[in-house]
């Protein structure tokens, strides 16, 4: 493969890793989330810094407490160097949190600063540092909280109950089918 195609393929593969991370965390899909990292990797997240197996336990338990979550990724600045890459990727995280008196919409904007490594032709995150640029919690009084979905097939959910898991094509593409 010529150098230009190899670089383009690496950029696409890294973007796919970032998408797997977002889907894995929002759906509480441990296997999919783990597939974004090398098992010997490290994540320095907000409130946690440690090896990937412990990170997975910590983050999935934290998100499990949320009513809902939705992660978005923006532009990535990727610098390739052989079988390593450095990437800074902008993100938004929206989480609906349950509080004793009211729900809260927590909005975080920041950047994932990742070191990727390619092993046997596969890119994954080896080291991540999360940088928060903005974090807000907006109270949601009962009369302003998002209404429940009228039809359950429209309501996003954590885990395999999410409507997207009913798609045979998506299951096959994500390795779940």
């Amino acid at each position: 493969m010529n150098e230009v195609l190899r670089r383009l393929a690496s950029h696409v593969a890294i973007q796919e890793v970032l998408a797997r991370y977002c889907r894995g965390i929002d759906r509480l899909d441990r296997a999919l989330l783990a597939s974004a990292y090398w098992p010997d990797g490290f994540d320095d997240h907000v409130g946690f810094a440690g090896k990937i197996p412990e990170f997975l336990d910590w983050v999935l338990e934290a998100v499990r407490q949320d009513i809902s979550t939705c992660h978005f990724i923006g532009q990535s600045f990727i610098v390739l160097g052989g079988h390593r890459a450095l990437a800074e990727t902008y993100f938004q995280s929206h989480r609906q949190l349950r509080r004793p008196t009211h729900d809260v919409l927590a909005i975080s904007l920041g950047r994932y600063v990742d070191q990727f490594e390619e092993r046997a032709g596969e890119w994954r995150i080896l080291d991540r540092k999360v940088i928060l640029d903005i974090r807000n919690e907006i109270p949601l009084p009962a009369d302003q909280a998002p209404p429940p979905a009228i039809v359950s097939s429209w309501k996003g959910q954590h885990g395999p109950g999410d409507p997207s898991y009913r798609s045979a094509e998506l299951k096959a593409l994500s390795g779940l089918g």
Side-chain angles (χ1 to χ4, degrees):
M1 179 181 320
N2 76 33
E3 183 60 21
V4 171
L5 288 178
R6 190 192 71 72
R7 293 176 69 74
L8 287 172
S10 294
H11 276 258
V12 169
I14 288 168
Q15 290 294 321
E16 289 174 352
V17 170
L18 294 164
R20 281 199 319 264
Y21 169 83
C22 291
R23 179 172 171 74
I25 201 161
D26 288 340
R27 302 286 66 81
L28 290 177
D29 187 326
R30 185 184 186 93
L32 189 60
L33 183 59
S35 78
Y37 292 92
W38 290 115
D40 59 333
F42 189 86
D43 195 309
D44 185 355
H45 229 81
V46 179
F48 176 89
K51 293 290 187 179
I52 296 310
E54 292 82 17
F55 168 72
L56 296 174
D57 293 341
W58 174 80
V59 76
L60 292 172
E61 182 55 35
V63 173
R64 190 171 281 110
Q65 306 306 313
D66 297 351
I67 296 168
S68 65
T69 61
C70 199
H71 285 73
F72 300 91
I73 52 174
Q75 71 273 17
S76 293
F77 180 73
I78 301 170
V79 178
L80 294 170
H83 296 286
R84 294 260 174 130
L86 297 175
E88 178 187 57
T89 303
Y90 284 75
F91 74 86
Q92 288 186 37
S93 167
H94 297 224
R95 300 170 61 196
Q96 186 178 349
L97 312 174
R98 184 166 283 123
R99 297 286 193 248
T101 58
H102 58 278
D103 291 350
V104 170
L105 178 61
I107 301 171
S108 298
L109 292 89
R111 291 162 285 140
Y112 300 129
V113 177
D114 295 321
Q115 179 180 330
F116 284 84
E117 188 171 89
E118 181 186 31
R119 299 178 186 173
E122 180 181 7
W123 286 97
R124 292 189 188 191
I125 301 165
L126 181 62
D127 186 81
R128 168 169 278 179
K129 168 75 175 168
V130 176
I131 299 172
L132 276 181
D133 293 314
I134 299 171
R135 170 109 165 99
N136 287 309
E137 288 193 2
I138 303 165
L140 296 173
D143 62 343
Q144 291 182 5
I150 298 169
V151 177
S152 64
S153 65
W154 298 347
K155 175 73 173 120
Q157 300 175 39
H158 294 306
D162 186 79
S164 67
Y165 282 89
R166 295 185 190 119
S167 165
E169 295 84 7
L170 190 55
K171 285 181 189 176
L173 288 173
S174 65
L176 301 171

